[in-house]
């Protein structure tokens, strides 16, 4: 039978993976503006759901990332602690 060279499968796999990822990204993000094709309207899946995704993302950030304890800890102990303290001395009488 035919035995492929050692480089055949990795190269073919890389090519198929690249093309698959390119197609997926195009389906998600392109076209940005709705595009009429006969009776169908085409638009990237992300753009189509952007208002819904924005609300969900904002809720996630508010609930899990930008919580009051985390923000206070970052201001009191973070990398910019000195800058924050200097700002507070200037602004707060």
């Amino acid at each position: 039978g035919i035995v492929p060279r050692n480089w055949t499968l990795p190269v073919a796999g890389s090519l198929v993976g690249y093309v698959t990822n390119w197609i997926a990204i195009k389906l998600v993000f392109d076209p940005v503006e709705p595009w009429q094709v006969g009776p169908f309207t085409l638009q990237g899946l992300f753009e189509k759901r952007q208002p819904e995704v924005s609300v969900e993302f904002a809720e996630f950030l508010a609930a899990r990332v930008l919580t009051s304890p985390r923000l206070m800890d970052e201001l009191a102990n973070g990398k910019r602690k000195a800058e924050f303290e200097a700002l507070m001395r200037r602004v707060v009488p």
Side-chain angles (χ1 to χ4, degrees), residues 74-90:
E74 185 62 30
L75 290 172
N77 306 311
K79 290 187 284 188
R80 297 188 172 218
K81 175 184 176 182
E83 293 175 41
F84 178 69
E85 289 173 347
L87 174 68
M88 288 293 104
R89 284 191 195 95
R90 282 194 320 267

Side-chain angles (χ1 to χ4, degrees), residues 20-31 43-47:
T20 302
N21 288 343
W22 183 82
I23 290 170
I25 288 171
K26 288 294 184 187
L27 287 173
V28 170
F29 293 106
D30 283 343
Q43 187 175 22
L45 297 174
F46 178 78
E47 293 298 327

Side-chain angles (χ1 to χ4, degrees), residues 65-81:
V65 178
L66 299 175
T67 62
S68 295
R70 284 187 181 188
L71 290 173
M72 294 303 294
D73 182 56
E74 185 62 30
L75 290 172
N77 306 311
K79 290 187 284 188
R80 297 188 172 218
K81 175 184 176 182

Side-chain angles (χ1 to χ4, degrees), residues 11-22:
V11 169
S14 297
L15 183 63
V16 168
Y18 179 83
V19 170
T20 302
N21 288 343
W22 183 82

